[in-house]
Amino acid sequence: MRLSKRFAEAGHEFALVGGPVRDAFLGIAANDMDFTTSARPDETLALLNAAGATTWDIGREFGTIGASLHGLTVEVTTYRSDEYDPDSRKPQVAFGDTLEGDLTRRDFTVNAMAVRLPSLELVDPCGGLSDLVDGLLRTPIDPIISFSDDPLRIMRAARFTAQLGFDVDEPTMSAMSELADRLSIVSAERIRSELERLMISPHPRRGIELMEYTGVAELVLPEVAALKSTVDEHGRHKDVYEHTLTVVDQAIELETDADGPVPGPDFVLRFAALMHDVGKPPTRRFGPGGKVTFHQHDIVGAKMTRQRMRELRFDKQTIKDVSRLVELHQRFHGYGEAVWTDSAVRRYVNDAGHLLERLHRLTRADSTTRNQRKAMRLQAAYDDLENRIAELEEKEELAAVRPDLDGSQIMEILGLAPGPAVGRARKHLLDLRMEHGPLDPDEAERRLREWAEENL
């Protein structure tokens, strides 16, 4: 309020705008505050500095100044009235003179509300409050114009559907389909950012379904869109697309609170659940008697996942983690039919590494059978595997499995210099560790010398 009075005393309008207003009506606390003003950027900067704020230039050419004041992070943007180049989503910035004009250029009506300060007057020229009550997303102006001006709003529609649980009105949905191709002028990084926010929202399934229905998924996640192609009119196997959405829902249910091993929302787990079966369409084969196989769909799917995430400019670690979970999601199958040796359990834990807790949840989420006996059998088998892992962990510190001799010891025992031979010897000792569990130093040295006599 004190800040708004400074702007008013200087002869400028000042209003809380957009997401914070929307969230206030939804009862959601806002950590950051967005304001809009009739003041030009230089005037805004001067008024913020005079108020004792720490300021930074977010994009003065776009009218936005960032500030930290009384422990609150704020952004203050001058009223805008932009024009767009059809070949770019970057606007030709023009500053506006009215709050109402600024609001009508925003993405959705629920984000086009403001509260004038210090008078606390609600300004809602586009019916955002009514749409908020109805749980509806629509654009303040013709959606064809809105999405043509800024195609990223197409992705934002999917994201807000997932974030708020709202429906999209028919004209807006039709415009998403008609203009989906314009996403080609949006950077991969901006699309990735919206996709990440969609996946960690409370209702990601809604956003994914909207993307698929409007054809947006064919451009952003074509591997997920392709899952629809596996619908089998003869009913020889389940609907992989619907199965995938159910796996995403079930994976979310298995996330933990902040004190647990997989605090939600967990993007890596959720995105791995979304991508876990993308290898099925290219590997589907029909055999004798109508039998359907998807051999190595886990390996193929991991490769497809890596490629898609690289194109979307995800960071290397996230790509590695998600694709590894996709690659490992089938590893458990067969455990119930044949009891694994301790060696097999060790390898399972070692291969999963820091992803083990996520792999537990992805594997459990992947069971969507309606056959209750089969579901109970799978659950019991995985319960048994987790118990086996816990027992071996207690005895052997499985999470830190290492060869019984390190590189320096190997070189000293065998008289080797650093090089490939040391790596091969270390791998042999790690294989022994996996197969037989911990060996005492003398036994490990004896086994190492035996191997060296035959291989070096």
Side-chain angles (χ1 to χ4, degrees), residues 363-408:
T363 302
R364 289 184 181 276
D366 195 23
S367 174
T368 61
T369 179
R370 295 180 181 178
N371 184 320
Q372 289 300 311
R373 292 180 63 184
K374 182 179 180 181
M376 292 177 65
R377 190 163 60 246
L378 286 170
Q379 180 174 324
Y382 208 83
D383 287 344
D384 184 67
L385 175 58
E386 287 203 45
N387 289 334
R388 293 272 306 282
I389 291 171
E391 290 169 2
L392 285 172
E393 171 67 35
E394 186 175 349
K395 291 190 295 185
E396 303 180 14
E397 297 185 6
L398 275 189
V401 169
R402 298 289 186 274
D404 293 293
L405 300 173
D406 63 26
S408 297

Side-chain angles (χ1 to χ4, degrees), residues 251 254-266 269 355-359 361:
L254 293 171
E255 291 173 341
T256 66
D257 60 22
D259 296 325
V262 185
D266 188 274
L269 173 61
L355 298 169
L356 182 62
E357 290 291 347
R358 289 185 175 111
L359 182 58
R361 284 155 179 78

Side-chain angles (χ1 to χ4, degrees), residues 401-417:
V401 169
R402 298 289 186 274
D404 293 293
L405 300 173
D406 63 26
S408 297
Q409 292 171 307
I410 291 170
M411 289 188 287
E412 181 179 349
I413 291 168
L414 300 181
L416 296 174

Side-chain angles (χ1 to χ4, degrees), residues 85 111 229-230 232 251 298 308 340 346 358 374 417:
D85 182 335
N111 296 329
S229 70
T230 62
D232 179 10
D298 44 354
R308 178 55 47 200
W340 283 6
R346 292 187 193 101
R358 289 185 175 111
K374 182 179 180 181

Side-chain angles (χ1 to χ4, degrees), residues 3 27 39 103 122 186 225 307 340 355 406 414 451:
L3 187 61
L103 293 175
L122 175 66
V186 180
Q307 181 61 32
W340 283 6
L355 298 169
D406 63 26
L414 300 181
W451 174 85

Side-chain angles (χ1 to χ4, degrees), residues 99-325:
L99 175 57
E100 288 79 4
D102 178 88
L103 293 175
T104 59
R105 53 164 286 278
R106 293 176 180 264
D107 54 5
F108 302 104
T109 60
V110 296
N111 296 329
M113 296 183 288
V115 175
R116 291 188 191 275
L117 300 175
S119 65
L120 297 179
E121 173 195 353
L122 175 66
V123 182
D124 181 18
C126 306
L129 185 58
S130 177
D131 288 342
L132 201 64
V133 172
D134 293 339
L136 189 67
L137 276 182
R138 63 183 182 90
T139 56
I141 60 175
D142 184 335
I144 294 292
I145 297 173
S146 180
F147 292 157
S148 182
D149 283 348
D150 186 356
L152 185 63
R153 291 170 178 168
I154 295 171
M155 282 298 299
R156 287 170 65 83
R159 190 253 291 183
F160 279 119
T161 297
Q163 180 179 325
L164 303 174
F166 285 7
D167 293 322
V168 177
D169 81 333
E170 185 58 42
T172 302
M173 196 180 305
S174 297
M176 290 177 68
S177 297
E178 184 174 339
L179 296 173
D181 286 345
R182 279 189 58 74
L183 283 168
S184 61
I185 70 171
V186 180
S187 71
E189 290 83 358
R190 297 301 298 271
I191 291 175
R192 182 207 67 221
S193 178
E194 291 297 331
L195 182 60
E196 285 179 308
R197 296 173 76 178
L198 184 158
M199 290 304 301
I200 63 172
S201 292
H203 315 283
R205 179 180 186 134
R206 295 178 68 95
I208 296 162
E209 288 177 326
L210 179 62
M211 289 173 62
E212 191 285 322
Y213 182 79
T214 57
V216 173
E218 293 181 11
L219 298 163
V220 176
L221 290 174
E223 299 81 3
V224 173
L227 296 176
K228 295 284 284 191
S229 70
T230 62
V231 174
D232 179 10
E233 66 273 15
H234 301 294
R236 288 167 290 186
H237 64 84
K238 62 189 173 187
D239 182 333
V240 182
Y241 174 71
E242 286 297 326
H243 161 76
T244 294
L245 296 180
T246 301
V247 172
V248 171
D249 288 340
Q250 294 184 166
I252 292 170
E253 292 173 1
L254 293 171
E255 291 173 341
T256 66
D257 60 22
D259 296 325
V262 185
D266 188 274
F267 175 81
V268 169
L269 173 61
R270 294 182 182 197
F271 202 60
L274 180 63
M275 302 296 284
H276 81 284
D277 272 351
V278 296
K280 280 190 171 180
T283 61
R284 183 171 65 166
R285 300 292 182 271
F286 294 102
K291 183 178 180 181
V292 183
T293 62
F294 302 96
H295 291 313
Q296 292 196 314
H297 79 270
D298 44 354
I299 306 301
V300 172
K303 182 178 179 180
M304 294 168 65
T305 298
R306 278 192 294 274
Q307 181 61 32
R308 178 55 47 200
M309 295 183 74
R310 285 174 185 150
E311 292 185 10
L312 289 169
R313 304 292 192 271
F314 279 92
D315 65 273
K316 291 181 179 179
Q317 189 61 53
T318 302
I319 294 172
K320 184 177 180 181
D321 287 350
V322 172
S323 58
R324 186 61 166 161
L325 284 172

